[in-house]
Amino acid sequence: MTANNEFIYIVAGDEMQKLFGRIFPDDQTIPFREDFSKGSCDGVCFDEKLISDRASFWGVTKEEYLAKMSPILDLDLSRTYILTFGTDACCTANLKFMIGYLKSKGYGEPIRVRIVNEYDLTVLQEYVC
């Protein structure tokens, strides 16, 4: 991977964002701070029920949950994103959610996915859906 400011990488959490910053300091990233592999998740929209259910599951207030998820909730859908996740259960569940979320929001770009090694960001697989 090389720096490309045309794309914004939605990455698997704060740790992957830190790793991106060290390896690709010129790339812009947005952390996805959830783990939909735990608990239940019905749907792909951050509606009142999902927010309330997930906040309750994690033992935080709705306001705390919304603050944590604000980078995703505030996405500029006119930008080009690359969903960048690993291969574990957390990443798989979160990627599935993000694809559904972008589609439900009417994201007009092809959804680009990059599956990476979570320790060195080596690209394992790339595809568009």
Side-chain angles (χ1 to χ4, degrees):
M1 287 189 301
T2 59
N4 186 337
N5 293 321
E6 175 185 350
F7 303 112
I8 299 171
Y9 296 87
I10 297 175
V11 301
D14 293 322
E15 293 305 312
M16 187 177 284
Q17 185 178 42
K18 289 176 194 173
L19 184 58
F20 244 90
R22 286 193 301 274
I23 297 174
F24 305 109
D26 296 329
D27 287 345
Q28 185 178 353
T29 59
I30 296 172
F32 188 85
R33 298 175 174 135
E34 236 301 3
D35 182 353
F36 283 117
S37 70
K38 295 182 170 80
S40 64
C41 175
D42 298 323
V44 292
C45 294
F46 285 102
D47 59 15
E48 183 65 31
K49 180 175 179 357
L50 183 131
I51 292 165
S52 179
D53 288 351
R54 297 305 291 176
S56 177
F57 175 78
W58 292 115
V60 299
T61 67
K62 286 193 283 187
E63 292 76 19
E64 290 169 317
Y65 185 82
L66 287 169
K68 179 174 141 181
M69 295 308 297
S70 65
I72 300 300
L73 294 167
D74 297 336
L75 288 177
D76 175 354
L77 296 179
S78 69
R79 302 295 306 268
T80 302
Y81 298 102
I82 298 178
L83 306 180
T84 307
F85 290 86
T87 58
D88 65 10
C90 173
C91 285
T92 300
N94 290 347
L95 175 60
K96 180 181 175 186
F97 179 88
M98 271 307 304
I99 291 169
Y101 178 68
L102 288 173
K103 287 179 178 179
S104 77
K105 299 294 281 181
Y107 183 62
E109 296 283 327
I111 298 175
R112 300 165 192 255
V113 176
R114 192 171 277 174
I115 305 300
V116 299
N117 175 304
E118 293 179 64
Y119 300 101
D120 64 10
L121 300 180
T122 300
V123 176
L124 304 174
Q125 182 181 13
E126 287 184 282
Y127 58 91
V128 176
C129 54

